[in-house]
């Protein structure tokens, strides 16, 4: 059993590693993919890694929901893991909606002022020989 200080240290270490992974994912995916798809992947990764859940009933401490769901699925089945899967599904859906909103608003590719005012050039008709 963990003491209070070792539990908090482990929780901080996990959250710090998850945040560092998400930041590395932002850097790597942001350079290679379009901004809408990279926002979706980054937000989904953050939702899956940082969502908390109670390991079982009657426990006051929390653990990462992805780990709780994985252990519960492997050892006790789907019914036992539902309490951890439910928040994962909710935060994943919220991340997808947020990525969709970001894709339509802030991350949209905007036309520059010169492209918006410029008219397409039309070449004059060719003269007959």
């Amino acid at each position: 059993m963990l003491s209070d200080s070792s539990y908090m240290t482990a929780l901080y270490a996990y959250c710090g590693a998850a945040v560092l992974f998400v930041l590395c994912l932002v850097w790597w995916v942001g350079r290679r993919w379009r901004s809408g798809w990279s926002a979706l992947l980054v937000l989904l990764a953050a939702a899956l890694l940082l969502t908390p859940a109670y390991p079982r009933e009657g426990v006051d401490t929390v653990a990462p929901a992805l780990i709780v769901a994985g252990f519960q699925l492997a050892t006790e089945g789907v019914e036992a893991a539902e309490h951890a899967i439910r928040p994962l599904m909710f935060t994943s859906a919220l991340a997808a909606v947020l990525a969709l909103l970001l894709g339509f608003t802030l991350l949209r590719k905007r036309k520059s002022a010169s492209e918006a005012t410029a008219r397409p050039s039309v070449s004059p008709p060719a003269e007959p020989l």
Side-chain angles (χ1 to χ4, degrees):
M1 188 78 180
L2 294 175
S3 67
D4 288 341
S5 63
S6 62
Y7 168 74
M8 293 305 290
T9 303
L11 198 58
Y12 291 149
Y14 176 82
C15 289
V19 168
L20 283 176
F21 176 77
V22 169
L23 288 175
C24 288
L25 194 64
V26 167
W27 176 76
W28 186 72
V29 173
R31 306 173 106 215
R32 289 167 176 77
W33 291 6
R34 290 182 38 206
S35 56
W37 288 109
S38 61
L40 178 64
L41 180 68
V42 167
L43 288 173
L44 279 175
L48 290 175
L49 290 174
L50 296 172
T51 301
Y54 293 108
R56 59 182 180 268
E57 288 184 30
V59 178
D60 295 334
T61 59
V62 293
L66 189 63
I67 293 173
V68 171
F71 281 132
Q72 293 288 333
L73 280 172
T75 58
E76 298 177 21
V78 177
E79 293 83 22
E82 283 181 359
H83 73 281
I85 293 174
R86 207 172 300 121
L88 281 173
M89 290 174 50
F90 176 75
T91 56
S92 296
L94 186 65
V97 168
L98 185 60
L100 187 66
L101 288 174
L102 284 173
F104 283 133
T105 56
L106 298 177
L107 301 176
R108 204 170 88 184
K109 196 172 189 179
R110 290 182 168 70
K111 292 182 181 180
S112 65
S114 62
E115 288 177 359
T117 58
R119 294 186 181 185
S121 62
V122 177
S123 60
E127 294 183 23
L129 293 175

